[in-house]
């Protein structure tokens, strides 16, 4: 793989993690506005889908007699895209539900178990060789995240909340793997056009099952946070993550996700005035070291699929 492609893929992975880590910023503010989980996610995905659809419509306009990209997909691609949409819908729903049961920063740190899940699944089912650098990065990242968790002084977590976050992590790990292994020959915009549609549809179905009626955001402030969720942790994170998974592989993309809980902690400190302790500082340092290792020293045995 060319160094320029690896650098671009790594940068995309870093930015995707940071963008996805801002989920609590929008979700918690919308919860404070009185919106329920189904409505928050429906408008998040719905608005994101409208934006992506507009981009796709422009790309579908023929230039010089040839369109840059069409909306058409093969039956095989349709199956892969349907699976991706279902996985991301489950991951988002379970994570947002957990926000009602524990601090969002704690949920975000537990969510980081997905790199371990990704590495194990890739090694067991796809025989991906896991090098020393990858193992070291995972260990350092997990220790760092554990320190972030214990650093806030939380004692006992609700079991249902933990299960929901772990299910979110597993769904996200599988999402990254499917993106990497499906080898979809289409742009990230086209992939997410379908993924976001399925996610919005899933929220409509969930609203009927749960009895949570979909309601409009009540204020302009609410619409701002809906827009934030649609653009930053949805469109930007998804588009960047697809490029990262294709260019540097599923495992590396997942490890770069260490910046997600780091972002959540920093948001808590600088926006919500949460305390900054020595334990938090050490945890953040370990995560940064882990990310630096995987970026600078990918290792000869690190497998990248593109």
């Amino acid at each position: 793989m060319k160094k320029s492609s690896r650098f671009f893929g790594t940068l995309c992975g870093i930015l995707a993690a940071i963008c996805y880590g801002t989920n609590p910023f929008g979700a918690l503010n919308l919860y404070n506005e009185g919106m329920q989980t189904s409505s928050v996610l429906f408008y998040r995905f719905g608005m994101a889908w409208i934006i992506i659809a507009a981009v796709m419509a422009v790309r579908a306009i023929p230039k010089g007699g040839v369109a840059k990209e069409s909306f058409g997909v093969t039956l095989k691609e349709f199956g892969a895209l349907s699976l991706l949409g279902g996985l991301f819908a489950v991951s988002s729903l379970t994570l947002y539900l957990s926000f009602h049961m524990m601090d969002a920063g704690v949920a975000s740190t537990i969510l980081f178990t997905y790199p371990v899940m990704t590495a194990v699944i890739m090694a067991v089912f796809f025989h991906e060789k896991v090098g020393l650098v990858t193992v070291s990065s995972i260990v350092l990242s997990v220790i760092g995240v554990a320190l972030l968790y214990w650093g806030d002084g939380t004692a006992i977590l609700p079991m249902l909340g933990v299960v929901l976050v772990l299910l979110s992590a597993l769904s996200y790990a599988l999402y990254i793997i499917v993106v990497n292994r499906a080898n979809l020959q289409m742009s990230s915009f086209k992939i997410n056009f379908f993924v976001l549609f399925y996610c919005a549809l899933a929220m409509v179905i969930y609203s009927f099952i749960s009895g949570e009626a979909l309601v409009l955001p009540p204020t302009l402030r609410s619409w701002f946070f809906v827009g934030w969720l649609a653009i930053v942790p949805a469109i930007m994170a998804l588009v960047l993550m697809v490029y990262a998974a294709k260019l540097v592989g599923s495992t590396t993309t997942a490890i770069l996700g260490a910046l997600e809980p780091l972002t959540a902690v920093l948001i808590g400190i600088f926006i919500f005035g949460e305390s900054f302790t020595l334990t938090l500082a050490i945890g953040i340092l370990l995560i940064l070291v882990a990310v630096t290792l995987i970026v600078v020293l990918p290792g000869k045995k690190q497998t990248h699929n593109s």
Side-chain angles (χ1 to χ4, degrees):
M1 176 184 292
K2 294 181 179 179
K3 289 185 178 180
S4 59
S5 295
R6 175 172 173 78
F7 173 79
F8 180 69
T10 301
L11 180 61
C12 286
I14 290 172
L15 293 177
I18 293 173
C19 288
Y20 198 74
T22 67
N23 263 306
F25 175 69
L28 295 184
N29 278 293
L30 287 172
Y31 287 163
N32 291 335
E33 292 281 323
M35 293 184 67
Q36 295 181 309
T37 302
S38 57
S39 294
V40 170
L41 285 173
F42 172 75
Y43 286 104
R44 172 200 178 192
F45 290 131
M47 183 179 291
W49 180 80
I50 290 172
I51 295 172
I52 290 289
V55 173
M56 282 294 297
V58 172
R59 292 169 66 88
I61 297 175
K63 294 181 180 179
V66 179
K68 189 171 184 179
E69 191 167 35
S70 70
F71 287 90
V73 295
T74 65
L75 185 60
K76 181 180 179 181
E77 290 171 339
F78 178 77
L81 291 168
S82 299
L83 178 59
L84 287 173
L87 287 171
F88 198 77
V90 170
S91 181
S92 298
L93 179 60
T94 49
L95 177 63
Y96 274 52
L97 287 173
S98 75
F99 290 164
H100 291 293
M101 304 175 191
M102 64 181 74
D103 290 342
V106 174
S108 296
T109 60
I110 298 174
L111 179 68
F112 188 66
T113 53
Y114 76 82
V116 178
M117 296 179 184
T118 302
V120 170
I121 292 171
M122 291 299 292
V124 173
F125 294 99
F126 298 100
H127 309 292
E128 181 179 86
K129 295 180 180 179
V130 180
L132 178 61
V133 171
T134 298
V135 173
S136 300
S137 295
I138 291 174
V139 171
L140 287 174
S141 297
V142 170
I143 294 174
V145 169
L147 288 174
L148 292 184
Y149 165 63
W150 290 112
D152 68 358
T154 301
I156 300 175
L157 296 177
M159 179 59 65
L160 179 57
V162 174
V163 170
L164 285 171
V165 182
L166 290 176
L167 180 56
S168 177
L170 177 60
S171 302
Y172 194 52
L174 291 173
Y175 180 90
I176 292 175
I177 291 171
V178 172
V179 167
N180 176 242
R181 305 297 297 191
N183 194 28
L184 294 169
Q185 299 301 310
M186 61 184 70
S187 72
S188 182
F189 292 106
K190 187 171 181 177
I191 291 173
N192 289 301
F193 169 81
F194 288 94
V195 168
L196 291 168
F197 173 79
Y198 280 118
C199 286
L201 179 62
M203 292 309 107
V204 173
I205 296 172
Y206 173 75
S207 71
F208 280 110
I209 296 174
S210 65
E212 292 182 5
L214 298 177
V215 297
L216 285 168
T219 64
L220 286 176
R221 185 172 183 271
S222 299
W223 280 107
F224 167 78
F225 289 115
V226 167
W228 178 277
L229 289 175
I231 295 172
V232 181
I235 293 176
M236 292 178 64
L238 282 171
V239 170
L240 290 167
M241 195 280 292
V242 169
Y243 282 120
K246 286 185 175 181
L247 292 174
V248 297
S250 304
T251 302
T252 300
T253 300
I255 294 172
L256 291 174
L259 292 172
E260 289 175 27
L262 174 59
T263 300
V265 169
L266 293 178
I267 287 175
I269 293 171
F270 292 107
I271 297 181
F272 297 106
E274 296 178 359
S275 61
F276 184 71
T277 65
L278 177 61
T279 305
L280 284 175
I282 296 174
I284 290 172
L285 178 62
L286 288 177
I287 290 174
L288 290 177
V289 170
V291 174
T292 301
L293 278 177
I294 204 67
V295 170
V296 179
L297 302 171
K300 294 182 179 180
K301 292 186 178 181
Q302 181 77 18
T303 299
H304 305 305
N305 300 296
S306 58

